Amino acid sequence: MAFRPSREITLTGLTALGGRARGTGINVLEGVRFLGSCARSIANMPKSVRSMFGRVLLMQVRFTAVDAMPIIAGLALLIGALVIAQAQAQAVRFGVSEALGQLLATII
């Protein structure tokens, strides 16, 4: 005899799933409306304001992508050195330091 879920359990699960789907759909729709209103606002601005907006956006992207690169590269170098040092210390404990050295030489 197979187990058949009761109608009440099935409807409760479907109701919960439908409620989450509706909530997600509403949130996505609000996001689309917000982006649309932002685009309309930018389009309705005077040309001088739009050009200033474009310059500010370009400078922000420049700062994020170019000016922050030395900081990111330095942090990546430090974290990589720490990972290698810790891996080497653990490899010595387990007797696989030669294999780890060859692996790191191949990767780097």
Side-chain angles (χ1 to χ4, degrees), residues 29-41:
L29 185 60
E30 284 181 21
V32 169
R33 283 183 189 154
F34 174 73
L35 290 175
S37 66
C38 288
R40 280 193 307 275
S41 296

Side-chain angles (χ1 to χ4, degrees), residues 1-26:
M1 198 161 149
F3 172 73
R4 290 189 58 167
S6 70
R7 181 172 168 82
E8 183 178 311
I9 292 174
T10 304
L11 289 178
T12 303
L14 289 175
T15 303
L17 179 63
R20 285 194 303 262
R22 280 195 315 268
T24 302
I26 289 171

Side-chain angles (χ1 to χ4, degrees), residues 23-104:
T24 302
I26 289 171
N27 288 339
V28 169
L29 185 60
E30 284 181 21
V32 169
R33 283 183 189 154
F34 174 73
L35 290 175
S37 66
C38 288
R40 280 193 307 275
S41 296
I42 291 171
N44 290 332
M45 289 181 183
K47 183 157 178 63
S48 61
V49 174
R50 278 185 292 182
S51 66
M52 183 180 69
F53 177 78
R55 278 195 312 269
V56 169
L57 182 64
L58 181 68
M59 293 302 289
Q60 185 63 42
V61 169
R62 179 180 165 261
F63 169 75
T64 303
V66 178
D67 293 346
M69 199 56 82
I71 297 168
I72 294 170
L75 286 173
L77 185 65
L78 287 173
I79 291 171
L82 285 172
V83 167
I84 290 172
Q86 288 296 319
Q88 184 64 29
Q90 295 301 318
V92 169
R93 277 182 57 193
F94 294 107
V96 291
S97 60
E98 288 184 25
L100 181 65
Q102 291 174 355
L103 177 67
L104 289 175

